[in-house]
Amino acid sequence: MPNMNENSLAVCIQALQKAIRFNDFISQSDTVDSDNYEESSYMFELELSRLCELYKIEEKNGNVSIPLSSLLTPPFDELIKTK
């Protein structure tokens, strides 16, 4: 992964959490196609999970200054509790 560092991972993890919340908010509109909403939510959540796994590796190797547990907010904090 070119030019990816701990700061990039942290920002992406935080941004995806916000995107998922925003997507959930938008889904409440009558103009949103439920299939599109579910597909985009799935893509965001899958990518968040992948980034968390990469971050866990970096955290285990001592390459991060912010613990993953501090980056994740409910309900996303379950990503580190279940694995």
Side-chain angles (χ1 to χ4, degrees), residues 13-79:
I13 288 169
Q14 291 172 321
L16 277 171
Q17 290 177 92
K18 295 272 187 202
I20 293 167
R21 283 197 179 97
F22 186 69
N23 201 39
D24 289 342
F25 173 74
I26 289 175
S27 73
Q28 297 171 15
S29 169
D30 292 335
T31 61
V32 173
D33 181 322
S34 64
D35 290 338
N36 288 340
Y37 160 72
E38 288 180 20
E39 183 177 342
S40 62
S41 288
Y42 175 75
M43 289 182 342
F44 290 151
E45 290 170 9
L46 182 62
E47 196 59 34
L48 178 59
S49 179
R50 288 179 185 164
L51 290 176
C52 286
E53 289 304 315
L54 288 173
Y55 200 90
K56 285 180 194 178
I57 292 168
E58 293 301 315
E59 187 174 28
K60 183 178 178 182
N61 292 334
N63 297 329
V64 298
S65 56
I66 304 170
L68 182 59
S69 60
S70 296
L71 290 176
L72 296 175
T73 58
F76 308 109
D77 57 343
E78 293 296 319
L79 289 171

